[in-house]
Amino acid sequence: WTRRLGDTTWQAGDLGPGNWTFASASADGMRMAVLDNGAFAGASPDGGTTWEQTFSYSGWSGLAVSRDGRVVTAQEPRNDTYGHRGYVFVNTTGGIGNWEWTAADLNLTWRGISLSSDGNWMAAADNGVAGTTGGKIYTSTGNRTAGGTLGAITGGQGQFIEVTYQGNGRFTVTDVSASGAFTIR
């Protein structure tokens, strides 16, 4: 269900019934993500009018959406009913399309996640294992660019690089020619 501030009624989404445990939205409310515990993740690019079921997993334990809605991250704790390891899932296209699985090598009991407003930084909480002193907080910059000093990119004749502007002065490299390395200064 979605409702805009000031509206007096709620609008039901088209994902149907579920065991909904987490929901998050971009600052403008246009990009939304939800998690159905024991089932799938869903995303909406249009303020909840339409929804796309993205992929299925179980035992969700956290969800966050960046301010602009471009980055969505979700958590799955370890040792769920299906024996999965703890994962952090990241999507850089508003929750629609492919999600990247990360942090599986840590095998942690994830219990909460947060994103910076630009989606570049993540903080994730681990609950720890029973009988231990508890979990830890993990931070990551993922695979997105970070702010830094101005510079330049140089390469040789015939080389190419493709970048995508992500907003807020940040770019991601989306394609590089196989004909040689680039120098970044």
Side-chain angles (χ1 to χ4, degrees), residues 47-81:
T49 301
T50 62
W51 291 87
E52 178 179 310
Q53 180 177 325
T54 56
F55 66 98
S56 181
Y57 230 73
S58 65
W60 299 107
S61 62
L63 174 70
V65 174
S66 64
R67 179 177 177 79
D68 66 2
R70 181 180 48 88
V71 180
V72 180
T73 186
Q75 291 175 311
E76 209 286 330
R78 71 169 163 197
N79 300 330
D80 70 354
T81 54

Side-chain angles (χ1 to χ4, degrees), residues 98-146:
N98 294 329
W99 288 63
E100 180 183 329
W101 298 20
T102 64
D105 56 328
L106 297 175
N107 195 21
L108 299 173
T109 308
W110 298 113
R111 288 294 178 235
I113 194 157
S114 181
L115 284 170
S116 61
S117 121
D118 64 1
N120 193 45
W121 290 85
M122 290 182 266
D126 168 43
N127 190 48
V129 178
T132 68
T133 57
K136 297 179 179 177
I137 303 297
Y138 292 82
T139 60
S140 172
T141 57
N143 62 357
R144 288 157 302 284
T145 61

